[in-house]
Amino acid sequence: MALQDLYKRPGFLLRRAHQISASIFEKNCASLALTSAQYGVLCVIEGQPGVDQSTLARALAFDKVTVLRVLKGLQERGVCVREIAPDNRRQMSVRLTPAGERLLQEARQPVQQAYEELMSPFTDTQREQFLTLLGMLNDSLDAKARASFVPMPARSGA
């Protein structure tokens, strides 16, 4: 395979796009010292206070080790609390602290700016097409992933 062919392969392009996406996100959220993984975890906890760690991992398609590492970092910052689940003593439930709620609120604008920057090469129609195609790729091949993805149900009234 010629090197130029490698640069046109979906895996290479997706990995490079992820690097760019992570870089843009981290630049926009640098003042908050927030990564996209941390933001995702905070969003799930906000949407489902008391969520258990396994459900949290599946909601973001993280393996359990990754979600635990992210949670420990967030807990050290004082933005979330892990507690033994009241209905299952073998599970840990997670909730935001007031500091976590503030951090999430402060992140909304820089996260939106990161999204706009990442999607800036596209027209509105192309954005919709791009997201549709990525969704199709993910949905169709989900069973081949290393970590399962089980989206959280939408909150009523959200």
Side-chain angles (χ1 to χ4, degrees), residues 13-73:
L13 293 169
L14 287 167
R15 182 184 59 78
R16 184 66 183 141
H18 178 262
Q19 289 174 324
I20 293 166
S21 174
S23 178
I24 289 171
F25 187 97
E26 289 172 13
K27 176 187 63 110
N28 279 276
C29 293
S31 66
L32 301 173
L34 190 66
T35 67
S36 59
Q38 292 168 335
Y39 179 73
V41 166
L42 292 173
C43 286
V44 171
I45 298 169
E46 177 191 45
Q48 295 288 326
V51 66
D52 67 86
Q53 290 178 184
S54 295
T55 301
L56 174 59
R58 288 190 302 272
L60 295 168
F62 286 168
D63 60 70
K64 290 179 183 181
V65 172
T66 299
V67 82
L68 182 58
R69 180 179 45 80
V70 173
L71 281 171
K72 282 186 175 184

Side-chain angles (χ1 to χ4, degrees), residues 1 10 19 22 25 38 44 57 75 85 87 109 117:
M1 174 186 303
Q19 289 174 324
F25 187 97
Q38 292 168 335
V44 171
Q75 190 173 10
D87 56 338
Q109 183 179 5
E117 186 176 344

Side-chain angles (χ1 to χ4, degrees), residues 1-13:
M1 174 186 303
L3 189 55
Q4 293 308 312
D5 293 335
L6 172 69
Y7 295 153
K8 295 177 185 173
R9 303 210 34 109
F12 178 87
L13 293 169

